[in-house]
Amino acid sequence: MPKLLIVDDSALMRKHLRSIFEETGAFEIRTARNGQDALDQVAAFDPDVVTLDINMPDMDGLTCLGEIMTAAPRPVVMVSSLTRASAPATLEAMQLGAVDYVEKPGGTVSLNIDAIRREMVEKVTAAVSAKPRRARGLLSRVRHTRQATVQPRRAAPLGRVGGLVLIGVSTGGPRTLEDILPELPGNLPWPVVVAQHMPGTFTGSFAQRLDRICSLEVVEVTGPAPLTPGRIYIGRGDADVVIGSRLGRQIVSSVPCDPAMRWHPSVERLVRTAREAFPADHLIAVQLTGMGDDGAAAMAELRAAGGRTIAESEASAVVFGMPAELIRLGGASLTLTARAIPGQIRTWLS
């Protein structure tokens, strides 16, 4: 039975979370009241997965997470109020090695935690088998930042674009995208559109964060916009990102969620709308880490029609769910580690 450590400074929240996971009967559970208590429990209890609050007195969640991922890496799911103000801290937690995050509805001490019971259990259960990654050091960030300054951004040309790179990603995605997107050159001839399962309060901050470290310009899709080379489009959260055309030009848009799709922005919907706007052999689709199967069927059909597809390999995927399903369907042209993917995209577009 996997061991779960719940870390929160609120006794009420610890009680709510413990109740949720005790009802599953699937975990051995302990709790910690602050960051230092959590570090002591990690050493003594050796949990398989940790849920960690961000805002705690004395030692906050980010400091605690950094200590865990440096000394004894293991899957950590952040539990936080998902507001625009908290977005940078939660994204920093992903950078430090957290696997995922869950919203704490109603604020720091919530009486409505049952509203996210299903999501909480699913994400923590998936995290048990996730691959923990050590905290990324400053040198890696400096390297990416320098790369972005060395390669000047190209002016976006007018008219139709020749093709499109599509990326679908979920659990473990923010850090994986930070490994891949900065390695794409500023003169990439095709635009890139990303469907990352993420709340709308986060995607703007995430796009800004990526824009600081990428050679390509990175923008959040908030409304209809022309597709242009030299740009990465991050689909706005709590909506779907789709491809279409207007006045003879291909466009990318943010539209209300399709209720038939469980995860948003929907990878499946992104790929299917791209197929309506581009020939299959003018599309490259990449399926990265994430639980579930969003996008796998559409990408498999794309490959069968002559498109090129990549599934992230189990060796690097934080959660080998979405790419595994693409492979199972016979829809992966190639299976590559995250670090090998940008080189393959460059090769295909050279």
Side-chain angles (χ1 to χ4, degrees):
M1 181 180 293
K3 295 188 285 187
L4 166 64
L5 177 64
I6 296 168
V7 186
D8 201 294
D9 65 311
S10 163
L12 183 60
M13 184 57 64
R14 292 196 301 273
K15 177 183 177 181
H16 281 310
L17 292 177
R18 181 165 198 144
S19 174
I20 284 175
F21 289 103
E22 282 180 340
E23 287 180 9
T24 70
F27 295 90
E28 180 183 349
I29 304 166
R30 287 191 188 177
T31 63
R33 65 186 183 279
N34 56 44
Q36 186 56 58
D37 188 16
L39 296 180
D40 294 340
Q41 293 272 19
V42 166
F45 182 49
D46 191 24
D48 297 292
V49 61
V50 178
T51 69
L52 182 59
D53 186 22
I54 288 184
N55 299 310
M56 297 185 294
D58 300 326
M59 180 186 291
D60 64 27
L62 290 181
T63 303
C64 180
L65 176 65
E67 293 285 342
I68 292 173
M69 301 313 293
T70 300
R74 65 200 61 229
V76 176
V77 176
M78 307 306 294
V79 181
S80 174
S81 54
L82 301 189
T83 65
R84 282 183 171 81
S86 68
T90 306
L91 292 172
E92 181 68 18
M94 301 298 105
Q95 175 80 15
L96 288 170
V99 170
D100 212 336
Y101 47 84
V102 178
E103 180 176 7
K104 185 185 288 186
T108 303
V109 180
S110 172
L111 296 176
N112 301 314
I113 195 72
D114 285 349
I116 58 163
R117 177 183 297 268
R118 178 182 176 185
E119 179 187 8
M120 178 79 70
V121 172
E122 284 186 346
K123 288 190 172 183
V124 171
T125 301
V128 171
S129 58
K131 297 181 180 68
R133 302 173 68 182
R134 290 186 181 273
R136 175 177 291 153
L138 177 62
L139 289 178
S140 175
R141 299 185 204 180
V142 171
R143 177 176 64 83
H144 287 323
T145 302
R146 285 178 178 168
Q147 179 192 47
T149 59
V150 168
Q151 297 179 343
R153 289 173 171 171
R154 61 184 291 173
L158 299 175
R160 296 181 65 84
V161 296
L164 193 59
V165 178
L166 309 169
I167 297 178
V169 60
S170 185
T171 312
R175 181 160 169 180
T176 301
L177 289 172
E178 289 186 20
D179 285 339
I180 292 173
L181 298 181
E183 301 297 333
L184 297 176
N187 61 353
L188 197 76
W190 289 3
V192 179
V193 182
V194 179
Q196 157 76 68
H197 298 160
M198 184 177 278
T201 50
F202 278 27
T203 43
S205 295
F206 186 47
Q208 293 171 12
R209 182 185 183 95
L210 288 170
D211 189 57
R212 291 193 294 269
I213 62 173
C214 289
S215 299
L216 294 161
E217 181 184 9
V218 183
V219 298
E220 181 191 27
V221 181
T222 57
L227 285 167
T228 57
R231 188 169 291 166
I232 297 169
Y233 300 86
I234 305 295
R236 182 172 62 86
D238 300 322
D240 285 338
V241 58
V242 299
I243 308 301
S245 61
R246 178 178 292 178
L247 300 176
R249 291 201 64 185
Q250 301 105 325
I251 63 170
V252 59
S253 302
S254 179
V255 299
C257 296
D258 181 344
M261 309 293 182
R262 182 176 176 193
W263 302 102
H264 306 281
S266 167
V267 183
E268 190 82 5
R269 193 174 182 188
L270 169 62
V271 176
R272 293 196 183 282
T273 58
R275 291 233 11 227
E276 295 172 1
F278 289 87
D281 60 355
H282 289 224
L283 294 171
I284 294 172
V286 182
Q287 187 80 311
L288 299 177
T289 176
M291 62 181 180
D293 60 1
D294 185 25
M299 288 191 190
E301 292 173 13
L302 172 63
R303 187 198 179 193
R308 290 166 287 187
T309 59
I310 300 173
E312 183 181 359
S313 70
E314 187 174 8
S316 69
V318 176
V319 176
F320 191 53
M322 287 162 54
E325 182 64 12
L326 179 61
I327 294 168
R328 188 189 71 81
L329 294 175
S333 305
L334 294 171
T335 301
L336 301 171
T337 63
R339 293 193 179 277
I341 289 172
Q344 184 60 50
I345 293 173
R346 292 196 302 265
T347 297
W348 275 340
L349 297 184
S350 61

